[in-house]
Amino acid sequence: MNRYLKMRKLLTILLLLTVISVYSQKQYDIGILLDRRTEGLTPLLLQLQDQIKAVVGEDADINFPDKNILTNDFNLQKAEQNYNVLLNNEVDIILAFGVVNSEIISSQKEHVKPTILFGAVNKDFNAIDLSKETSGIKNFTYLIESESFSDDFKTFNELTDFSTLGIIIEQPLTDFLPLKNVFDEAFKTLQANYKLIPFDTVTDITSNLDGVDAVYMAGGFFLTENEVKQLASTFIEKKLPSFTSLSVDQVKNGIMATHHSDENFDQFMRRIALSIEGYINGTPLADMPVFIDYNQRLTINFNVAEQVNVPIKYSLINDTDFVGNMENTIAKQKYDLLQVIDEVINRNLTLKSNQMTVTLSEQDVKSAKSNYLPNLSANTTGTYIDPDIAEFGQGQNPEFSTDGNITLQQTIFSEAANANIAIQKALLKAQEANFNASQLDAIFDISNAYFNALILKANVQIQMRNLNLTKRNLQIAEQNYEAGESGKSDMLRFQSEMAQNTQAMIEAINGLEQSFLVINQLLNNPLDTEIDIEDTELGKGIFEQYNYDELTSLLDDPKLREPFIAFLVEEAKQNAPELKVLDYNLNATNRQVKLYGTGRFLPSVALQGQYNRNFSRSGKGSTLPFPGYPNDNYNVVASLSIPVFNQNTNNINKQIALIQKDQLQINKENTRLAIDANIRNGVLNLINQISNIELSRVSEASAKEALELTQTSYSTGAVTVIQLIDAQNNYLNAQLASMNATYNYLINALQLERYLGYYFVLNSEADNATFRQRFLEFINRRN
């Protein structure tokens, strides 16, 4: 009982101490002065307020009354009125943002209330002594950003080599900032000119872009997301490279580049919060550091860079972050799988050549059949004979004569002609089957190239994310080194990793370009044609009817797997154009054997008719001894021939044909065996990929979680750099495996369908249903 009373007394004391602590917290009302307030600024203000409250914590009770958040809309008189309102209100700390507010705040001889000025100056505006580390002014501090217009101009010029740069900035700011002096000084070292484009509305910008070949957003903080997108669209349409002095968000919305990194804004917010926290805890504002040294990193939207024809130098990759997706925005053609298959069938040069071979075989058949067509010929002759000889010819051989004849020949029956027709027809069918095999090969080749390009496309994105991850890990290592929690070797290790990751990314980009070269070659496109390909997902789009679950259950069940394989082998042998080629060649060879065997004893029967006419007779010997002798005559001849002995050629040709027949039989058995092996190997590969799909998902999720935990542990010094790199590499490999799994499954599925001689994706649902019905019938027959 006494113990219970003691516990109750202790709890009461703790509760009283908590209440006393709460009520003893000092309350701070913070006022905020803005040049302009937009919808886009509201979430940033909330983020700033949350950051301040989180940093200050329980040291004070922080409030941001709405009545103390005032906007001047770039009006100097209004800005002064707002400042005086906060001086008269119950405001403990003033946060002043913007150039107009800066004019009012910096003109004060003394600061009655603690004031922090930010977002107004960077190091270009050297009216402020940049050598001073603190303001040295009671109740006042300001924040100077390390970023510089001059640095931006230099970097932008290296990227684009512009001639005249359009510099975009809010119209009211031109009245408060010495822009001309700053820009003139910056352009002294650049072999270029600039054009100032002040604006109040987006139309002021879009209507004033004549005479510039690049644009720089020196202002635009208050532009909405839609307005930025509208501007970006105009810049892209006019092929104008663009650069912003503001956040990465503008680059994500279509501006080409910035020197800001994602961390800059967070660093800016935290610095303001730390300044307030320091003041509350007793540090005078006059003694606080004023300089914010950002980590300057170039960020490029490579989709926009492509659209405005700005090539990305490989030398920049190590120091550049990229946004955008791996879409070729300047592609003349973006293909899906069915489109590339259709294109390869109609345009591939190898297929066209093979089609010509079929056409040549068709002509061979026509040539063989033409042996049974009549042969009609007409001849005319003019003859001169020695007159002395002509005199003794008794009118039969005159000195001068002109004669003509017409001859008609017709084959009635010929075993050689019949055999040739049959052989050429068989060879034509063999060529058609061979062309069918070429089509099946071409479909798989282009599909394989398509999925390999998707693999390489995804690989570029993964390598890009991995490079960015290495950059973040390097920042952690640098922070640990500066805090004394790790040695310099950690930084050097990550710098080495970053160089290797950069090379891997370059190789991934070039690999993707090479894959597009392969596709262009297969499609008979000019090799420099800009193309892109649509992504393909299992169970979606053209693969929506691809019954992945049904196939998985068939292959996963050992009782059904072997019958299914047997059925596929049977179907493959029925469909295989390679077997059909051999069968047709065997038919042709059998006909040759018959021709040179019993066929050689069959007679050849032919008819021939000829009509002759004498057109003129003159000179010596031209008088006929018999008057009325006709000038024309005709004859008809029927012939029958049987080859009795032909230098043993028939026997030799028969032996050659028999050897060829045996060879074709061996090739046929070998092809059947190869089909069986290919189907079984294809099924095993497919089982591997099915397993890989499921396991790679688990592996990627686990590797990602492990990396996040390891990063957190490394930032606190709990694990070594080796463990962090191992976790990162493990996550990279897991991502690649997961990304490759589905594509490799589809490649192996299409490879199996090639062996099968039947592409499900190219056949109707009715045909595929018939295929499944044949399998059920096959199972019933086996049972």
Side-chain angles (χ1 to χ4, degrees):
M1 185 69 178
N2 290 336
R3 185 178 180 184
Y4 170 76
L5 291 174
K6 289 180 180 179
M7 287 292 293
R8 185 174 180 180
K9 185 177 180 181
L10 179 61
L11 289 172
T12 302
I13 293 171
L14 289 173
L15 181 60
L16 288 172
L17 288 174
T18 302
V19 171
I20 292 170
S21 174
V22 169
Y23 281 96
S24 65
Q25 275 186 337
K26 185 173 180 181
Q27 179 172 313
Y28 285 84
D29 287 346
I30 297 179
I32 301 177
L33 297 175
L34 302 171
D35 281 351
R36 177 175 289 175
R37 187 169 184 177
T38 63
E39 289 183 11
L41 188 62
T42 300
L44 299 182
L45 283 175
L46 293 175
Q47 185 178 344
L48 176 61
Q49 292 170 14
D50 291 341
Q51 180 79 272
I52 292 171
K53 289 178 180 179
V55 171
V56 173
E58 296 182 358
D59 293 343
D61 182 18
I62 304 296
N63 296 306
F64 297 90
D66 288 338
K67 66 178 182 178
N68 293 334
I69 301 178
L70 306 176
T71 304
N72 62 55
D73 291 320
F74 295 112
N75 184 295
L76 193 63
Q77 184 178 357
K78 179 68 172 175
E80 187 170 10
Q81 290 175 0
N82 291 341
Y83 179 64
N84 289 327
V85 167
L86 294 187
L87 290 181
N88 295 324
N89 285 356
E90 294 180 357
V91 171
D92 300 294
I93 300 174
I94 298 174
L95 299 181
F97 176 85
V99 175
V100 179
N101 285 317
S102 174
E103 286 288 309
I104 300 300
I105 302 300
S106 59
S107 66
Q108 302 300 311
K109 293 182 179 179
E110 63 176 351
H111 296 274
V112 178
K113 293 188 177 182
T115 304
I116 301 174
L117 175 65
F118 60 96
V121 291
N122 65 25
K123 69 180 183 181
D124 287 312
F125 298 93
N126 51 22
I128 296 174
D129 187 356
L130 297 179
S131 64
K132 294 177 64 175
E133 295 183 358
T134 64
S135 72
I137 301 173
K138 183 181 178 181
N139 273 347
F140 179 65
T141 189
Y142 50 84
L143 300 178
I144 302 174
E145 301 179 40
S146 63
E147 294 171 332
S148 161
F149 290 143
S150 299
D151 292 342
D152 284 355
F153 296 157
K154 181 179 178 182
T155 300
F156 196 22
N157 189 249
E158 289 175 355
L159 281 173
T160 63
D161 194 26
F162 56 76
S163 298
T164 302
L165 180 65
I167 302 177
I168 299 168
I169 194 164
E170 288 85 353
Q171 172 68 54
L173 297 187
T174 61
D175 299 328
F176 299 104
L177 294 176
L179 297 176
K180 188 176 186 306
N181 294 338
V182 171
F183 295 155
D184 286 348
E185 184 66 27
F187 273 78
K188 284 182 179 179
T189 59
L190 299 175
Q191 294 181 344
N193 300 311
Y194 74 89
K195 173 184 177 181
L196 198 62
I197 305 177
F199 75 94
D200 289 313
T201 66
V202 170
T203 305
D204 295 335
I205 301 172
T206 57
S207 63
N208 199 19
L209 295 175
D210 295 335
V212 301
D213 56 356
V215 289
Y216 177 78
M217 300 280 291
F221 181 83
F222 297 103
L223 291 173
T224 66
E225 182 176 320
N226 287 335
E227 287 174 329
V228 173
K229 289 180 178 179
Q230 181 184 344
L231 280 175
S233 178
T234 301
F235 298 155
I236 292 170
E237 182 182 346
K238 293 180 177 293
K239 301 295 182 183
L240 294 174
S242 53
F243 201 105
T244 178
S245 64
L246 301 173
S247 70
V248 174
D249 287 337
Q250 290 197 341
V251 176
K252 293 176 181 178
N253 287 324
I255 302 300
M256 191 189 80
T258 184
H259 250 148
H260 270 271
S261 66
D262 283 326
E263 293 81 15
N264 286 11
F265 185 73
D266 293 336
Q267 186 178 352
F268 183 75
M269 291 281 198
R270 186 165 181 81
R271 182 62 176 277
I272 296 171
L274 288 172
S275 297
I276 293 174
E277 188 244 3
Y279 172 77
I280 289 172
N281 289 323
T283 302
L285 292 182
D287 297 337
M288 291 185 180
V290 298
F291 202 73
I292 303 178
D293 191 8
Y294 291 141
N295 287 323
Q296 277 201 347
R297 290 192 61 80
L298 184 63
T299 300
I300 295 178
N301 186 320
F302 56 79
N303 294 133
V304 176
E306 279 188 335
Q307 289 175 289
V308 297
N309 302 320
V310 175
I312 304 299
K313 299 177 182 178
Y314 288 140
S315 58
L316 292 174
I317 291 179
N318 195 54
D319 299 315
T320 304
D321 295 327
F322 292 95
V323 299
N325 50 51
M326 286 311 301
E327 301 293 330
N328 188 348
T329 52
I330 59 173
K332 293 181 179 179
Q333 177 68 50
K334 188 171 186 178
Y335 294 103
D336 61 28
L337 181 60
L338 291 181
Q339 285 176 319
V340 294
I341 290 175
D342 183 63
E343 289 280 311
V344 82
I345 290 174
N346 292 312
R347 301 187 58 194
N348 181 261
L349 293 180
T350 300
L351 286 183
K352 286 186 176 183
S353 176
N354 289 341
Q355 180 64 63
M356 291 295 181
T357 304
V358 174
T359 304
L360 288 173
S361 294
E362 290 173 349
Q363 298 306 310
D364 290 338
V365 172
K366 292 180 180 179
S367 177
K369 288 181 177 180
S370 69
N371 287 323
Y372 275 109
L373 294 177
N375 184 13
L376 180 66
S377 63
N379 298 296
T380 182
T381 59
T383 306
Y384 170 75
I385 296 178
D386 188 327
D388 295 334
I389 300 299
E391 281 186 313
F392 294 97
Q394 299 186 5
Q396 298 298 313
N397 296 303
E399 182 179 1
F400 298 99
S401 64
T402 304
D403 301 283
N405 64 73
I406 297 176
T407 303
L408 177 67
Q409 296 174 323
Q410 175 67 56
T411 300
I412 305 299
F413 177 82
S414 171
E415 177 63 7
N418 291 343
N420 191 31
I421 292 171
I423 289 169
Q424 294 305 324
K425 284 183 176 179
L427 292 178
L428 171 60
K429 289 185 177 296
Q431 287 296 344
E432 289 173 342
N434 191 54
F435 177 67
N436 185 25
S438 298
Q439 284 185 313
L440 293 173
D441 287 338
I443 290 170
F444 175 72
D445 288 343
I446 192 63
S447 301
N448 189 36
Y450 185 91
F451 285 118
N452 279 330
L454 284 177
I455 289 173
L456 292 167
K457 192 174 181 180
N459 183 42
V460 171
Q461 292 178 315
I462 290 174
Q463 294 295 348
M464 186 183 299
R465 290 199 297 266
N466 187 58
L467 179 59
N468 290 334
L469 179 59
T470 301
K471 292 171 183 175
R472 288 197 296 273
N473 286 339
L474 176 59
Q475 290 174 355
I476 295 173
E478 289 171 344
Q479 291 168 2
N480 285 354
Y481 175 67
E482 292 170 0
E485 295 177 359
S486 65
K488 189 176 181 180
S489 61
D490 284 12
M491 288 194 307
L492 296 175
R493 181 63 188 270
F494 275 116
Q495 287 172 355
S496 174
E497 281 291 311
M498 192 159 67
Q500 295 174 34
N501 294 158
T502 301
Q503 180 61 29
M505 183 176 168
I506 291 172
E507 291 176 358
I509 292 171
N510 288 332
L512 178 59
E513 290 298 320
Q514 289 172 329
S515 72
F516 286 153
L517 284 177
V518 172
I519 292 175
N520 276 331
Q521 182 180 7
L522 289 172
L523 299 184
N524 191 26
N525 290 333
L527 294 183
D528 60 351
T529 301
E530 292 287 347
I531 64 170
D532 201 1
I533 53 176
E534 297 280 1
D535 197 3
T536 299
E537 294 184 47
L538 197 60
K540 295 183 180 179
I542 62 172
F543 290 101
E544 187 173 356
Q545 302 300 327
Y546 217 84
N547 203 326
Y548 170 76
D549 293 332
E550 183 180 13
L551 181 60
T552 301
S553 62
L554 281 172
L555 298 179
D556 191 49
D557 188 345
K559 292 182 179 179
L560 289 176
R561 187 189 307 157
E562 191 55 39
F564 182 61
I565 291 174
F567 168 72
L568 293 180
V569 170
E570 182 179 289
E571 286 283 316
K573 289 177 180 177
Q574 289 178 358
N575 296 334
E578 295 84 1
L579 286 178
K580 292 176 182 178
V581 169
L582 293 170
D583 284 336
Y584 291 131
N585 278 308
L586 273 171
N587 292 341
T589 303
N590 285 331
R591 193 64 183 86
Q592 283 183 313
V593 172
K594 182 180 178 182
L595 171 64
Y596 297 124
T598 58
R600 64 181 175 174
F601 296 112
L602 294 175
S604 296
V605 180
L607 284 177
Q608 177 175 308
Q610 183 169 307
Y611 171 76
N612 304 297
R613 182 173 180 81
N614 177 254
F615 296 112
S616 66
R617 306 162 60 85
S618 62
K620 294 184 178 181
S622 59
T623 304
L624 291 170
F626 307 104
Y629 191 86
N631 289 327
D632 54 359
N633 62 81
Y634 67 89
N635 61 74
V636 178
V637 178
S639 65
L640 184 149
S641 64
I642 300 175
V644 178
F645 185 78
N646 189 19
Q647 300 175 334
N648 204 33
T649 302
N650 286 328
N651 287 330
I652 294 172
N653 287 339
K654 181 181 179 181
Q655 291 302 315
I656 291 173
L658 289 171
I659 293 171
Q660 289 174 336
K661 179 181 177 180
D662 291 340
Q663 184 183 39
L664 288 170
Q665 290 285 10
I666 292 171
N667 289 341
K668 184 177 179 180
E669 289 304 313
N670 187 43
T671 301
R672 290 173 65 86
L673 190 63
I675 289 172
D676 197 332
N678 286 338
I679 291 293
R680 293 179 181 277
N681 284 327
V683 168
L684 291 174
N685 289 334
L686 211 53
I687 292 172
N688 289 340
Q689 296 308 322
I690 289 172
S691 174
N692 191 26
I693 288 175
E694 303 304 323
L695 295 178
S696 62
R697 291 172 183 166
V698 176
S699 175
E700 181 182 9
S702 300
K704 182 180 181 180
E705 185 177 356
L707 175 61
E708 291 171 350
L709 293 172
T710 307
Q711 274 185 314
T712 302
S713 299
Y714 178 75
S715 63
T716 60
V719 298
T720 66
V721 65
I722 301 298
Q723 290 171 292
L724 179 56
I725 291 174
D726 285 345
Q728 181 179 338
N729 289 335
N730 185 45
Y731 181 49
L732 171 64
N733 293 329
Q735 284 181 297
L736 292 172
S738 179
M739 174 267 297
N740 290 344
T742 299
Y743 296 139
N744 283 330
Y745 168 82
L746 292 171
I747 289 174
N748 280 274
L750 289 168
Q751 177 76 79
L752 180 60
E753 291 173 18
R754 168 60 189 96
Y755 296 146
L756 190 60
Y758 182 93
Y759 287 107
F760 291 96
V761 72
L762 299 181
N763 283 277
S764 66
E765 179 58 26
D767 290 336
N768 292 338
T770 302
F771 182 90
R772 288 192 288 271
Q773 183 61 36
R774 288 201 300 273
F775 172 61
L776 296 175
E777 293 171 357
F778 179 84
I779 293 293
N780 292 332
R781 290 199 305 271
R782 286 175 65 95
N783 294 336

